[in-house]
């Protein structure tokens, strides 16, 4: 069975949200939530701003991130308004670990939603992929993301100094790890 088929029926109900596969019908909601300069400040350059219809179509077609991996939409009140997933090297010496990434539309910030999403997704994905380690990096200007990780058991393991260039200059990356 192809990896994408493995996640087709995934639906995880959480407290105030649902995690599920992205679908073509999510395009308008994706554009509404992703085209926000506040979202992109803490994310990698793979997440553009402005976020155009072409960007959304490319994402939903799997040309930006591998949607054959367990990359799930965060649905709130019937609308996809964020995403959570992992980058996982399925073979080789790092097959037991993956890197999580997530974002949430600004309309849903400051309500503890991302913490609850991670609390449900992290153990599920570790079990589903037989992972023993998740390792996340967080931009030094994104303390909210660092709190999401810390509340969910991740330990800050170090700092990559001046590792990322953003429009306002060089920034550190904080490194967080979680072991099963």
């Amino acid at each position: 069975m192809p990896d994408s088929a493995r996640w087709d029926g995934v639906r995880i109900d959480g407290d105030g949200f649902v995690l599920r596969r992205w679908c073509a019908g999510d395009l308008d909601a994706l554009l509404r939530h992703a085209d926000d300069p506040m979202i992109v400040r803490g994310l990698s350059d793979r997440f553009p701003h402005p976020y155009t219809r072409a960007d959304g179509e490319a994402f939903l077609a799997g040309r930006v991130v591998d949607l054959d991996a367990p990359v799930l939409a965060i649905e709130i009140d019937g609308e996809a308004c964020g995403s959570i997933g992992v980058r996982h090297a399925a073979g080789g010496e790092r097959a037991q670990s993956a890197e999580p990434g997530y974002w949430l539309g600004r309309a849903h910030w400051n309500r503890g939603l991302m913490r609850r999403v991670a609390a449900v997704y992290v153990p599920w994905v570790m079990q589903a992929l037989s992972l023993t380690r998740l390792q996340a990096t967080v931009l030094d200007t994104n303390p909210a993301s660092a709190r999401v990780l810390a509340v969910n058991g991740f330990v800050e393991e170090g700092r990559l100094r001046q590792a990322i260039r953003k429009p306002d200059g060089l920034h550190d990356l904080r490194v967080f790890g979680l072991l099963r």
Side-chain angles (χ1 to χ4, degrees):
M1 150 176 31
D3 276 349
S4 60
R6 184 175 172 189
W7 315 117
D8 280 346
V10 170
R11 179 184 169 92
I12 304 169
D13 292 296
D15 180 14
F17 64 90
V18 172
L19 301 179
R20 58 158 175 84
R21 296 277 295 183
W22 283 96
C23 63
D26 292 326
L27 181 60
D28 289 338
L30 173 61
L31 296 175
R32 201 169 26 264
H33 291 284
D35 189 28
D36 182 338
M38 296 298 287
I39 299 289
V40 75
R41 337 175 270 146
L43 300 176
S44 77
D45 288 345
R46 290 185 308 163
F47 201 101
H49 184 76
Y51 199 94
T52 66
R53 180 165 288 278
D55 294 322
E57 290 169 348
F59 172 79
L60 293 174
R63 294 190 306 266
V64 178
V65 299
D66 183 3
L67 293 180
D68 287 343
V71 176
L72 303 179
I74 301 168
E75 179 184 300
I76 299 172
D77 297 328
E79 178 178 72
C81 57
S83 189
I84 190 165
V86 294
R87 278 194 286 183
H88 176 236
E93 64 187 9
R94 294 189 186 219
Q96 80 288 349
S97 64
E99 179 183 5
Y102 47 84
W103 68 271
L104 183 64
R106 188 172 14 161
H108 302 287
W109 289 4
N110 301 315
R111 299 191 330 215
L113 278 162
M114 201 66 232
R115 292 176 190 183
R116 295 194 308 269
V117 167
V120 170
Y121 180 81
V122 165
W124 173 81
V125 79
M126 289 186 87
Q127 174 72 31
L129 296 177
S130 300
L131 300 173
T132 58
R133 177 179 174 80
L134 288 177
Q135 179 174 309
T137 57
V138 176
L139 201 61
D140 58 2
T141 57
N142 194 349
S145 187
R147 281 191 303 276
V148 165
L149 295 171
V151 164
N152 282 288
F154 284 75
V155 173
E156 189 164 0
E157 296 179 335
R159 184 175 291 258
L160 303 174
R161 296 176 300 143
Q162 297 187 6
I164 298 290
R165 180 177 302 281
K166 289 290 187 181
D168 64 342
L170 293 172
H171 289 274
D172 295 353
L173 279 177
R174 298 169 65 186
V175 179
F176 290 81
L178 175 71
L179 299 177
R180 181 160 46 157

